[in-house]
């Protein structure tokens, strides 16, 4: 790209991948260290029940992080994901109570979340609203609308849906079905980003939006498509959660889940400056955050204490990312992430 910073390089011309590989290695090393420490120090950490619970929780967090990582690679951010997840699934459960087959209701819910993603993408790509503000406002609107319609905090799915039961309790060679779905989403996204023309366009757009537009690349449709896909991935995570706990709690929107997702993405090494990283970064970040959260839960850390620790880690990771991947002048002036 003429006039653009070279993809995979720092401002000084040093390949970014060296930093990324180092960051991944550090994250993997910390994950292994934490796993060993918790294995020795915590009696129940290595129990079968805890490992399975850890894997299931990681599958939800990781699936959401795949969607967030996809958007961040394109130099965006999606704070609507948790709102879309809970409202989309709650909507599907709600209309299934009218007598509609639950599978059909899920398909209708998928259309709804795709429309939300379409609207979000249009606001960002065509109305030029900075992603962080657009998605924050839309998330609040989506959740508020859902609360008005559903009234109830918790909606329970029908108990006779075979595929939903399989998500919750099924396994293949001992691997929980939810983890298999996470693996499938990760693999598909990895192939999509690295092996398709659209994926290469996402990287080009994230690396330098102005240069991409000057080259005639369809940057606005690319951005819109990213948010549609992100919404559908969030909906998938919601279905995983529904299978595991037989329902959806809409108040999850008020939790720190969206910050955990951001923590996974940034810790894993997907720079907020865009144009770099991939699903491998999501996987390593998910493993670390999953192990850390599980260990703190077993240690009976309060919810507030856990959030404080994760917030400090997130702030530190953001500071490191700002040093390794400085935002360019055009990004700083526009306020985009």
């Amino acid at each position: 790209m003429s006039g653009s910073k070279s993809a995979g390089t720092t401002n000084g011309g040093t390949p970014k991948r060296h930093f990324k590989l180092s960051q991944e290695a550090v994250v993997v090393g910390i994950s292994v260290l934490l796993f060993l420490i918790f294995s020795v120090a915590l009696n129940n950490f290595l129990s079968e029940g805890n490992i399975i619970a850890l894997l299931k929780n990681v599958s939800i967090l990781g699936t959401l992080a795949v969607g967030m990582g996809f958007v961040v690679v394109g130099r965006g951010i999606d704070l609507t994901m948790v709102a879309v997840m809970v409202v989309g699934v709650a909507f599907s459960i709600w209309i299934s109570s009218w007598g509609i087959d639950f599978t059909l209701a899920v398909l209708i819910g998928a259309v709804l979340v795709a429309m939300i993603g379409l609207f979000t993408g249009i606001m960002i790509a065509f109305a030029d609203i900075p992603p962080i503000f657009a998605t924050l406002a839309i998330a609040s609107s989506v959740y508020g609308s859902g609360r008005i319609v559903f009234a109830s905090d918790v909606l329970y799915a029908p108990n006779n849906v075979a595929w939903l039961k399989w998500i919750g309790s099924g396994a293949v060679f001992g691997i929980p079905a939810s983890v298999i779905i996470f693996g499938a989403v990760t693999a598909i996204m990895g192939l999509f980003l690295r092996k398709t023309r659209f994926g290469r366009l996402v990287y080009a757009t994230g690396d330098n939006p102005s240069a991409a537009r000057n080259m005639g690349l369809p940057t606005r449709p690319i951005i819109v498509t990213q948010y549609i896909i992100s919404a559908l991935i969030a909906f998938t995570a919601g279905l995983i959660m529904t299978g595991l706990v037989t329902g959806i709690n809409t108040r999850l929107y008020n939790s720190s889940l969206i910050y955990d997702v951001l923590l996974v993405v940034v810790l894993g090494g997907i720079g907020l400056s865009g144009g770099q990283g991939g699903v491998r970064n999501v996987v390593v970040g998910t493993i670390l955050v999953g192990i850390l959260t599980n260990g703190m839960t077993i240690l009976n850390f309060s919810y507030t204490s856990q959030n404080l620790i994760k917030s400090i880690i997130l702030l530190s990771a953001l500071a490191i990312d700002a040093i390794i991947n400085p935002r360019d002048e055009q990004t700083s002036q526009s306020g985009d992430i």
Side-chain angles (χ1 to χ4, degrees):
M1 291 181 192
S2 176
S4 71
K5 62 181 181 181
S6 177
T9 64
T10 63
N11 291 338
T14 303
K16 284 184 179 179
R17 62 177 177 271
H18 294 327
F19 290 112
K20 289 301 153 190
L21 285 172
S22 297
Q23 183 170 343
E24 288 174 24
V26 169
V27 172
V28 171
I30 293 173
S31 299
V32 172
L33 181 61
L34 278 179
F35 187 86
L36 293 175
I37 291 173
F38 290 155
S39 298
V40 174
L42 304 178
N43 292 331
N44 298 324
F45 184 76
L46 285 180
S47 66
E48 181 180 354
N50 183 65
I51 294 300
I52 291 177
L54 171 62
L55 290 174
K56 289 181 176 180
N57 289 333
V58 158
S59 67
I60 298 170
L61 178 63
T63 300
L64 285 169
V66 169
M68 180 68 79
F70 176 54
V71 173
V72 172
V73 165
R75 198 180 285 208
I77 194 169
D78 190 358
L79 302 182
T80 70
M81 292 194 76
V82 175
V84 166
M85 178 182 76
V86 298
V87 171
V89 174
F91 176 76
S92 298
I93 295 174
W94 181 58
I95 63 174
S96 72
S97 66
W98 304 348
I100 297 176
D101 178 73
F102 184 69
T103 302
L104 177 59
V106 166
L107 294 176
I108 296 173
V111 173
L112 172 66
V113 301
M115 294 301 294
I116 295 172
L118 174 65
F119 177 74
T120 303
I122 289 173
M123 290 297 99
I124 294 168
F126 292 94
D128 290 325
I129 302 175
I132 192 168
F133 300 121
T135 58
L136 184 63
I138 293 171
S140 182
S141 300
V142 168
Y143 176 69
S145 301
R147 290 287 297 163
I148 292 172
V149 172
F150 310 135
S152 176
D153 290 340
V154 182
L155 289 88
Y156 293 98
N159 57 12
N160 60 346
V161 182
W163 60 265
L164 195 61
K165 287 183 177 180
W166 180 78
I167 290 176
S169 58
V172 177
F173 300 115
I175 302 174
S178 58
V179 178
I180 293 173
I181 295 172
F182 166 49
V185 171
T186 300
I188 292 170
M189 180 56 71
L191 291 173
F192 184 67
L193 278 173
R194 296 294 181 181
K195 301 298 183 181
T196 68
R197 182 175 183 272
F198 185 89
R200 292 189 289 272
L201 292 178
V202 169
Y203 279 105
T205 301
D207 182 59
N208 193 318
S210 296
R213 282 193 293 270
N214 291 337
M215 290 180 65
L217 300 183
T219 56
R220 297 186 193 278
I222 289 170
I223 292 171
V224 172
T225 304
Q226 280 183 280
Y227 284 94
I228 294 173
I229 293 174
S230 175
L232 290 172
I233 291 176
F235 186 65
T236 302
L239 293 176
I240 294 174
M241 178 174 291
T242 304
L244 292 173
V245 299
T246 70
I248 195 78
N249 187 341
T250 58
R251 286 193 177 274
L252 189 63
Y253 169 75
N254 296 317
S255 71
S256 63
L257 181 57
I258 191 66
Y259 302 106
D260 291 349
V261 174
L262 284 170
L263 179 59
V264 166
V265 170
V266 177
L267 271 182
I270 299 181
L272 297 181
S273 58
Q276 58 188 299
V279 294
R280 185 176 63 186
N281 304 92
V282 171
V283 172
V284 298
T286 300
I287 293 171
L288 175 55
V289 175
I291 292 173
L292 177 65
T293 302
N294 184 264
M296 290 192 297
T297 301
I298 295 176
L299 288 168
N300 289 322
F301 280 30
S302 68
Y303 183 72
T304 302
S305 297
Q306 291 190 34
N307 284 340
L308 175 60
I309 292 171
K310 287 187 287 189
S311 296
I312 293 172
I313 295 173
L314 176 58
L315 182 60
S316 302
L318 288 171
I320 293 171
D321 176 71
I323 295 171
I324 296 176
N325 307 298
R327 304 200 310 173
D328 57 42
E329 182 180 352
Q330 180 254 341
T331 303
S332 300
Q333 290 176 350
S334 68
D336 292 343
I337 287 183

